[in-house]
Amino acid sequence: VQAQVQSGGGSVQAGGSLRLSCAASGYRYSSSYVMGWFRQVPGKEREGVALTGCGTTFYADSVKGRFTISLDSAKNTLYLQMNSLKPEDTAMYSCAADLRSTCRFYTYDTFSRWTPSKYAYWGQGTQVTVSS
């Protein structure tokens, strides 16, 4: 069974930093897979934060310049480094993976790569709270 276990959430003051981790089990990340981070707050739809795969990365406009997605293939772990955190970043963060070994939608379909339903595997979620 495939699973992704998250850690690294917590509370931080505005301007602070956190690093989220997503350790995969049951499979190993591949350059042909797409992995990403999404976040959700009550009453709103889940939104994409950062994506990586197929030789490139994408970031939501709201986090560009502040967040960095990376992969440590040796540890089979995905990371999200979050700097200069803002209260608006407060959300439940989840890692996600598409293990279908396809880059088509990710590379050529701007809308689809940000659609949560395209990702079949999800971490349990971790809360990030940023206080002003």
Side-chain angles (χ1 to χ4, degrees):
V1 59
Q2 294 77 41
Q4 300 184 120
V5 179
Q6 298 180 223
S7 62
S11 298
V12 65
Q13 291 186 334
S17 299
L18 287 172
R19 188 180 72 167
L20 305 183
S21 300
C22 178
S25 62
Y27 69 95
R28 296 190 65 83
Y29 287 120
S30 168
S31 61
S32 64
Y33 298 163
V34 178
M35 296 78 68
W37 293 92
F38 292 76
R39 66 187 182 188
Q40 188 171 29
V41 299
K44 297 187 67 176
E45 296 293 322
R46 188 182 302 236
E47 65 174 352
V49 176
L51 304 172
T52 187
C54 306
T56 190
T57 61
F58 296 94
Y59 294 94
D61 288 342
S62 60
V63 306
K64 285 181 179 178
R66 300 188 297 118
F67 290 11
T68 303
I69 187 171
S70 62
L71 173 66
D72 186 335
S73 58
K75 296 182 178 180
N76 210 34
T77 300
L78 183 73
Y79 300 99
L80 184 68
Q81 179 66 46
M82 304 185 293
N83 297 326
S84 301
L85 282 161
K86 304 175 181 179
E88 307 93 272
D89 296 317
T90 296
M92 181 72 71
Y93 285 73
S94 299
C95 57
D98 182 345
L99 308 184
R100 294 176 293 176
S101 299
T102 177
C103 295
R104 180 176 296 178
F105 86 91
Y106 179 76
T107 301
Y108 300 109
D109 192 328
T110 301
F111 177 79
S112 292
R113 63 174 169 248
W114 292 108
T115 301
S117 63
K118 298 295 184 181
Y119 299 86
Y121 298 93
W122 292 84
Q124 81 277 17
T126 185
Q127 180 68 35
V128 171
T129 301
V130 184
S131 60
S132 61

